[in-house]
C-alpha cells in the first residue's frame, strides 16, 4: 500500500500509535489451509502486510488449521508460495495447531470460572434451542452441570471416550442475547480425525470463533483485520479475550470483501470446479486463484496495483475484471517484447519473390521502450498470415487482404492479392500475392499508401505453437448474490471458456521459457504456460487482449 492512500483502518492505527494505546503494529494473514488462495485473499494479504509495513510493524503468516477434515499440507505449501510470489515476507510462520495445548488450558479456565459447560444435546437440538433473530434461545438442560462434572467430562472428551458429535463444550454466555453468536456458542467439538500437523494427538478441536482470538492474542497481534461477515462475531471475539484472561488485547476491525463479476470466489465452490474437472486444477488460468492468475500471466505488480485501486472500505460491491486487466496491460506495456504470432494460419505465396531466397528484416522489440533494441525476422517467398486477414468477398471498409487489394506486411513489404487457391470443397487453402520491392519497411517509401497492415510469419522457419484463448469461466453477473430457482453456479459455467488453436511464432522465439511474457501484434499479451509447455511444444496463455473499453 502506498503511504499516501489513506483508509479508515490506517486512520485507526495511526490514532492508536499517537494516543499511546499501542506502541507497535502486528498483523497476521490467517488462511485456513482448505484450498488455494484467490484474489480476495490477495486483497487481505496486501492490506495486512501493507499496513504493518507502513508503520514498521510485522505480519505473521498463520494457518488457521482447526478443521482437520478439510485441511491438507498441499494447501499449506501452495499458500506459502503464493504469499511469497505476491512479494511479501512474513515475520513468523505459525499454525493454530501450535497452540492447541494452550487453547485447551484456556477452555479449562473457562470451565473453572463456570463460563463453559459440556453439553450432550446433538447438533440439531442445539440449533433448535438457539432460537431465532426474533425469539430468544432456550437453555440446555445440561447447562447447570457442576464445575467438577464439566472438568471431568471435558478431560474425558480429550481422552477419546466419546464419539463424534456426542458431546461439545459450550461457552456459557447468554441464551437470550439479541446477538445469536453469544447464545452459548460451541467452542470445542469431538472429531476423531487425523491432523496434518498434530497427527492423532487430538480428538477434540477448538471452533474457529474460540480459537481465532486466542491465536491473535498469543501472537501479540494488535489489529486483527478480517472481512465484514465477522462483524457480528466481534462481541464474541472480545468476550473470549476477556474471559480467557489473555494478556494481549487485539482489536478486530472489519473491511469489505473483494468480489469480481462473473467470478465465484469461495474456496468451496472453487474446489468443486477442480474436483468435478471443470478446470485442470486450482491453477487453471480461468480460476481467480493467485496460482491461476500467475499461470495465466498476471504479475504481482498488477495485482497489487489493482487491489490498491479497489480501496479499503466497509462496502463490498463486485468489481469488473476489466479493471484487473487494465493494470496488467499497464505493467506489461514497457517490459514485454513485441512479436508476431499467427493463431489461425493461412499460407501466402509471394509469386514474384525469388525462389530459395531468404532475407533478414529488422524489427524493433518494443517501440514504447527503445532500449529493448531490435530483433531479426526472416522473410521469403512463403509466409503465413491470419485466416481472418483475408476475405474473398469483403464488406465495405474491410482494409485487409482481398482479391486485387494491397496491404502492408508489418516490418516488410506491400503485397497485393492476385489469386485464391481452393481445395475440392471450395475452402481457401492458399493465397497468391505479388510484392513490391520498393516498399520495404524502413526505407522511407512514400510512393503510395495502403489502408491495412497485417502481421505474418515466414513459413519455412516458423515455430509451431499452441495458443489458449480464454473467456470468463462463469457467466452470470448476479452469481455472488443469490442462487435462484434451484440452479447452482455450475449451471452458469461457460462451455466456451477455453479455445485452443495451433499456429506459428517467429523463429527467434524458439527458446522461450515458462512464464515469459510477450505482446503479440494485434492479439494481446501472452504468457508461456508452465504446465503444458514442453521441449518441443510451446503453449501460450492469452493474458489479455490489447484493447478494452474500460476506463479507470
Ligand atoms: P472463502 O470464503 O473464499 O472460502 P475464507 O474467508 O473462508 O474464504 P480464509 O482462509 O478463512 O478464507 O481467509 C483468510 C483471510 O482472507 C480472512 O481474513 C478473510 O477474511 C480474508 N478473505 C477471504 N476472502 C476475501 C475476499 N474476497 N476479500 C477480502 N478478504 C478476503
Ligand atoms: Mg473460512
Amino acid at each position: 500500500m502506498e503511504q499516501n492512500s489513506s483508509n479508515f483502518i490506517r486512520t485507526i492505527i495511526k490514532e492508536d500509535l499517537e494516543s499511546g494505546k499501542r506502541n507497535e503494529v502486528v498483523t497476521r494473514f490467517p488462511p485456513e489451509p482448505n484450498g488455494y488462495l484467490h484474489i480476495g485473499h490477495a486483497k487481505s494479504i496486501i492490506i495486512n502486510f501493507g499496513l504493518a509495513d507502513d508503520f514498521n510493524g510485522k505480519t505473521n503468516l498463520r494457518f488457521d488449521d482447526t478443521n482437520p477434515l478439510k485441511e491438507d499440507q498441499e494447501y499449506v505449501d501452495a499458500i506459502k508460495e503464493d504469499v511469497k510470489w505476491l512479494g511479501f515476507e512474513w515475520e513468523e510462520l505459525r499454525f493454530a495447531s501450535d497452540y492447541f495445548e494452550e487453547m485447551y488450558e484456556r477452555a479449562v479456565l473457562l470451565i473453572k470460572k463456570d463460563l463453559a459447560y459440556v453439553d450432550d444435546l446433538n447438533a440439531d437440538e442445539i440449533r433448535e434451542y438457539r432460537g431465532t433473530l426474533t425469539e430468544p434461545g432456550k437453555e440446555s438442560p445440561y447447562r447447570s452441570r457442576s464445575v467438577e462434572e464439566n472438568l471431568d467430562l471435558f478431560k474425558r472428551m480429550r481422552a477419546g471416550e466419546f464419539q463424534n458429535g456426542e458431546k461439545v463444550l459450550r461457552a456459557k454466555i447468554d441464551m437470550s442475547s439479541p446477538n445469536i453468536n453469544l447464545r452459548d456458542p460451541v467452542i470445542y467439538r469431538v472429531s476423531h480425525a487425523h491432523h496434518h500437523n498434530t497427527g492423532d494427538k487430538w480428538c477434540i478441536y477448538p471452533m474457529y470463533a474460540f480459537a481465532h482470538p486466542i491465536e491473535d492474542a498469543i501472537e501479540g497481534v494488535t489489529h486483527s483485520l478480517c472481512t465484514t461477515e465477522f462483524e457480528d462475531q466481534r462481541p464474541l471475539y472480545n468476550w473470549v479475550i476477556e474471559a480467557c484472561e489473555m494478556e494481549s488485547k487485539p482489536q478486530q476491525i472489519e473491511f469489505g470483501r473483494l468480489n469480481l463479476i462473473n467470478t465465484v470466489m469461495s474456496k468451496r465452490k472453487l474446489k468443486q470446479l477442480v474436483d468435478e474437472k471443470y478446470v485442470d486444477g486450482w491453477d487453471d488460468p480461468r480460476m481467480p486463484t493467485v496460482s491461476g492468475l500467475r499461470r495465466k500471466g498476471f504479475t504481482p505488480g498488477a495485482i497489487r496495483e489493482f487491489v490498491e485501486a479497489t480501496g479499503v472500505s466497509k462496502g463490498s460491491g463486485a468489481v469488473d475484471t476489466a479493471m484487473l486487466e487494465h493494470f496488467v496491460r499497464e505493467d506489461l506495456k514497457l517490459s514485454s517484447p513485441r512479436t508476431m504470432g499467427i493463431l489461425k494460419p493461412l499460407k501466402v505465396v509471394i509469386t514474384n519473390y525469388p525462389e530459395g531466397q531468404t532475407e533478414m528484416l529488422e524489427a524493433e522489440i518494443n517501440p514504447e521502450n527503445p532500449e529493448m533494441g531490435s530483433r531479426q525476422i526472416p522473410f521469403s517467398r512463403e509466409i503465413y498470415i491470419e485466416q481472418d486477414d483475408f476475405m474473398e468477398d469483403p464488406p465495405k471498409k474491410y482494409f485487409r487482404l482481398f482479391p486485387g487489394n494491397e496491404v502492408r506486411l508489418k516490418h516488410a513489404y506491400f503485397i497485393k492479392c492476385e489469386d485464391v487457391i481452393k481445395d475440392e470443397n471450395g475452402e481457401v487453402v492458399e493465397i497468391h500475392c505479388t510484392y513490391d520491392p520498393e516498399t520495404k519497411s524502413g526505407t522511407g517509401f512514400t510512393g503510395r499508401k495502403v489502408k491495412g497492415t497485417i502481421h505474418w510469419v515466414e513459413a519455412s522457419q516458423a515455430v509451431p505453437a499452441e495458443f489458449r484463448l480464454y473467456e470468463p469461466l462463469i457467466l452470470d453477473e448476479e452469481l455472488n448474490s443469490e442462487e435462484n430457482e434451484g440452479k447452482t453456479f455450475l449451471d452458469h459455467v461457460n462451455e466456451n471458456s477455453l479455445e485452443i488453436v495451433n499456429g506459428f511464432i517467429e523463429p527467434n522465439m524458439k527458446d522461450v521459457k515458462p512464464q515469459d511474457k510477450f505482446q503479440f501484434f494485434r492479439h494481446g499479451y501472452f504468457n508461456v504456460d508452465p504446465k503444458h509447455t514442453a521441449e518441443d511444444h510451446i503453449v501460450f496463455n492469452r493474458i489479455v487482449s490489447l484493447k478494452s473499453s474500460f476506463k479507470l
Side-chain angles (χ1 to χ4, degrees):
M1 296 256 144
E2 283 164 31
Q3 289 280 1
N4 56 9
S5 73
S6 194
N7 64 57
F8 79 100
I9 303 180
R10 179 177 282 111
T11 305
I12 293 173
I13 296 179
K14 209 158 161 268
E15 285 169 4
D16 287 351
L17 292 171
E18 279 165 11
S19 72
K21 177 178 170 192
R22 306 277 181 195
N23 52 29
E24 61 170 348
V25 176
V26 181
T27 61
R28 83 289 173 263
F29 173 63
E32 184 181 356
N34 61 353
Y36 282 54
L37 298 182
H38 53 58
I39 180 115
H41 294 114
K43 176 158 189 161
S44 178
I45 291 169
I46 290 165
I47 290 175
N48 275 294
F49 281 87
L51 282 170
D53 232 32
D54 287 353
F55 294 98
N56 289 319
K58 47 197 186 193
T59 306
N60 291 344
L61 173 61
R62 184 217 308 148
F63 288 96
D64 236 315
D65 54 350
T66 54
N67 187 2
L69 290 177
K70 293 199 168 154
E71 295 156 6
D72 200 278
Q73 187 62 37
E74 176 197 347
Y75 301 134
V76 171
D77 296 339
I79 290 169
K80 282 159 68 177
E81 184 184 348
D82 287 349
V83 174
K84 279 192 221 155
W85 178 76
L86 284 169
F88 298 103
E89 273 177 56
W90 49 85
E91 180 77 14
E92 289 182 61
L93 180 66
R94 301 289 188 96
F95 291 84
S97 53
D98 296 343
Y99 315 131
F100 280 171
E101 192 65 48
E102 172 149 9
M103 289 174 193
Y104 178 83
E105 293 303 329
R106 299 283 167 174
V108 168
L109 175 68
L110 289 184
I111 295 173
K112 287 182 176 159
K113 293 164 78 176
D114 200 21
L115 290 176
Y117 61 97
V118 174
D119 198 350
D120 296 5
L121 294 185
N122 64 35
D124 287 338
E125 290 164 332
I126 288 178
R127 203 172 307 121
E128 237 170 77
Y129 275 62
R130 190 177 290 136
T132 63
L133 281 174
T134 49
E135 277 170 63
K138 235 173 29 186
E139 293 188 355
S140 162
Y142 304 97
R143 197 178 199 260
S144 49
R145 273 180 167 145
S146 70
V147 169
E148 287 65 38
E149 191 183 358
N150 282 319
L151 284 174
D152 175 60
L153 287 171
F154 189 47
K155 205 193 247 167
R156 287 164 56 197
M157 278 170 68
R158 177 178 183 169
E161 286 187 32
F162 305 111
Q163 297 305 306
N164 293 355
E166 212 182 320
K167 287 194 169 28
V168 293
L169 184 71
R170 298 178 70 174
K172 192 187 271 191
I173 309 180
D174 180 3
M175 285 309 289
S176 56
S177 170
N179 183 337
I180 293 184
N181 294 298
L182 295 178
R183 294 183 189 169
D184 292 9
V186 173
I187 59 175
Y188 263 93
R189 67 198 185 286
V190 177
S191 177
H192 293 269
H194 186 84
H195 189 284
H196 69 99
N197 260 352
T198 57
D200 296 314
K201 181 168 181 211
W202 293 90
C203 63
I204 55 172
Y205 290 95
M207 302 300 286
Y208 177 85
F210 173 71
H212 199 77
I214 294 181
E215 294 156 25
D216 284 343
I218 292 173
E219 291 174 22
V221 167
T222 54
H223 300 86
S224 173
L225 313 180
C226 63
T227 37
T228 46
E229 71 272 20
F230 292 101
E231 201 154 12
D232 292 343
Q233 299 240 18
R234 195 186 330 134
L236 176 56
Y237 183 98
N238 291 335
W239 184 92
V240 171
I241 298 284
E242 288 306 320
C244 290
E245 301 177 15
M246 304 307 295
E247 274 165 46
S248 165
K249 313 249 184 264
Q251 177 186 359
Q252 175 179 310
I253 305 172
E254 311 87 13
F255 62 91
R257 288 176 93 84
L258 172 69
N259 288 309
L260 288 179
I261 61 164
N262 284 340
T263 308
V264 291
M265 196 101 88
S266 109
K267 281 182 280 188
R268 182 180 60 78
K269 290 179 182 168
L270 295 176
K271 184 166 189 302
Q272 209 174 338
L273 290 168
V274 174
D275 290 347
E276 297 178 23
K277 308 239 180 315
Y278 287 91
V279 293
D280 82 357
W282 285 93
D283 66 350
D284 186 295
R286 290 166 291 180
M287 295 279 272
T289 50
V290 172
S291 49
L293 290 166
R294 173 168 65 235
R295 203 178 133 199
K296 196 171 183 187
F298 281 79
T299 56
I303 294 173
R304 286 199 305 264
E305 291 285 324
F306 164 72
V307 164
E308 170 74 22
T310 63
V312 181
S313 73
K314 289 273 186 192
S316 63
V319 177
D320 195 330
T321 316
M323 183 167 158
L324 176 59
E325 295 177 341
H326 162 84
F327 285 106
V328 79
R329 279 192 203 95
E330 287 295 302
D331 198 27
L332 295 178
K333 195 163 61 182
L334 295 182
S335 63
S336 62
R338 309 288 169 89
T339 185
M340 296 192 286
I342 302 297
L343 274 50
K344 296 175 186 167
L346 175 61
K347 175 80 79 70
V348 171
V349 179
I350 299 162
T351 51
N352 62 337
Y353 195 89
E355 235 165 297
Q357 181 177 314
T358 302
E359 65 180 302
M360 296 306 285
L361 302 173
E362 181 156 332
E364 72 262 82
I365 290 178
N366 188 337
E368 294 186 65
N369 186 359
E371 281 175 18
M372 293 177 83
S374 63
R375 66 190 196 275
Q376 298 285 317
I377 42 180
F379 183 78
S380 77
R381 197 168 189 268
E382 295 195 358
I383 62 174
Y384 292 113
I385 65 166
E386 214 61 73
Q387 285 170 17
D388 286 353
D389 284 343
F390 172 79
M391 280 184 96
E392 194 174 12
D393 194 9
K396 273 201 164 123
K397 301 221 168 158
Y398 184 87
F399 299 124
R400 288 169 275 164
L401 211 53
F402 56 86
N405 191 44
E406 192 173 42
V407 297
R408 178 196 304 276
L409 289 178
K410 179 81 178 162
H411 301 305
Y413 299 94
F414 290 6
I415 57 167
K416 186 172 176 187
C417 176
E418 309 282 1
D419 205 359
V420 182
I421 315 297
K422 297 180 183 171
D423 64 13
E424 61 272 23
N425 303 320
E427 297 282 335
V428 176
V429 289
E430 203 172 281
I431 309 293
H432 285 185
C433 293
T434 50
Y435 87 118
D436 178 353
E438 299 291 307
T439 59
K440 185 170 177 176
S441 177
T443 57
F445 173 77
T446 51
R448 63 185 182 280
K449 288 198 164 128
V450 287
K451 283 199 164 142
T453 299
I454 66 174
H455 60 282
W456 56 277
V457 173
E458 195 276 329
S460 70
Q461 296 186 47
V463 176
E466 176 181 315
F467 297 91
R468 296 180 166 224
L469 312 174
Y470 299 100
E471 295 281 330
L473 181 59
I474 307 282
L475 288 178
D476 189 342
E477 311 216 341
E478 301 303 315
L479 263 183
N480 282 312
S481 49
E482 218 45 63
E483 286 171 359
N484 40 19
E485 292 162 22
K487 289 197 166 181
T488 75
F489 74 101
L490 294 173
D491 295 307
H492 300 273
V493 169
N494 177 6
E495 285 173 10
N496 303 314
S497 59
L498 168 62
E499 184 189 3
I500 299 182
V501 294
N502 286 288
F504 295 101
I505 54 176
E506 295 180 17
N508 57 57
M509 290 179 64
K510 66 181 192 311
D511 295 323
V512 294
K513 301 272 174 304
Q515 297 294 124
D516 283 351
K517 294 165 184 59
F518 298 89
Q519 187 198 108
F520 280 96
F521 187 66
R522 288 168 62 207
H523 287 305
Y525 292 97
F526 287 72
N527 184 47
V528 179
D529 186 85
K531 201 158 176 172
H532 298 302
T533 297
E535 191 82 49
D536 53 355
H537 185 62
I538 303 173
V539 178
F540 288 95
N541 294 319
R542 175 147 67 189
I543 309 166
V544 66
S545 59
L546 288 179
K547 290 215 178 69
S548 146
S549 51
F550 179 78
K551 291 269 175 301
L552 196 63

